[in-house]
Amino acid sequence: MNESLSKLTAGLVKYKYALLVLVFGLGLMLLPTGSKAEAEQPQTPAVQTPPPVVQGFDLSNEERRLSETLSAIKGAGTCRVLLSVGATEETELAEAGEAPLVLSGGSGGERTVTVRSVYPVYQGAVIVSTGASDPVVKYELLNAVMTYTGLRSDQITICA
């Protein structure tokens, strides 16, 4: 009996680090991973919200973007744009009874649900360009503004 006990002891000494890792791993597996409050709460599916989108119509931003684009036309030089719109932006919100429908975000933020947005309609445009004295440049500026805004040529004035 002493002989088998000495063999067992020699084996334990030889593999002591492997046994320590095994015992430590088993101990970690037995530890609980969550609290009772978390375990008792029913799991509700998370509402997927789309990433934030910059909404709204900013007339000065549109004028700036169009000015930068027109200035990139060969020969146009520096351009300034003035746009005229028919009305302000309208937004229709989803309703829950009498009040607008509001979604709560995970970090405490709230936002309303937009059904549709109606952006203003352009009524006219004035473009001042240092290169507008050239008829080819003037024609290219006119086509660019017509394409971007949907205006007719008689609603656009281009000045040098």
Side-chain angles (χ1 to χ4, degrees):
M1 181 99 166
N2 280 344
E3 191 177 306
S4 64
L5 187 60
S6 66
K7 283 185 182 180
L8 181 62
T9 310
L12 288 176
V13 171
K14 185 177 179 182
Y15 297 109
K16 66 182 171 188
Y17 294 114
L19 290 173
L20 267 173
V21 170
L22 179 67
V23 169
F24 185 71
L26 287 173
L28 284 177
M29 287 181 11
L30 293 175
L31 289 176
T33 57
S35 66
K36 285 186 178 181
E38 289 177 0
E40 292 174 2
Q41 286 182 342
Q43 296 294 327
T44 56
V47 175
Q48 295 288 335
T49 57
V53 177
V54 176
Q55 293 183 353
F57 180 81
D58 183 9
L59 184 60
S60 60
N61 185 44
E62 294 301 310
E63 290 172 341
R64 180 192 54 77
R65 287 178 53 214
L66 188 54
S67 295
E68 290 172 0
T69 304
L70 294 177
S71 295
I73 294 175
K74 184 178 179 182
T78 304
C79 296
R80 294 184 63 194
V81 176
L82 178 64
L83 296 171
S84 172
V85 292
T88 60
E89 175 187 7
E90 295 178 24
T91 303
E92 183 180 334
L93 302 176
E95 293 184 0
E98 297 290 320
L101 183 61
V102 176
L103 289 179
S104 297
S107 60
E110 293 182 342
R111 64 183 181 99
T112 57
V113 178
T114 303
V115 174
R116 104 187 138 108
S117 293
V118 179
Y119 293 107
V121 177
Y122 294 110
Q123 289 187 328
V126 176
I127 290 83
V128 178
S129 171
T130 56
S133 56
D134 181 0
V136 174
V137 172
K138 192 171 189 176
Y139 177 75
E140 288 180 2
L141 290 170
L142 179 68
N143 278 334
V145 175
M146 287 172 51
T147 302
Y148 180 75
T149 61
L151 293 170
R152 299 183 314 268
S153 61
D154 64 328
Q155 296 173 304
I156 301 169
T157 301
I158 300 176
C159 305

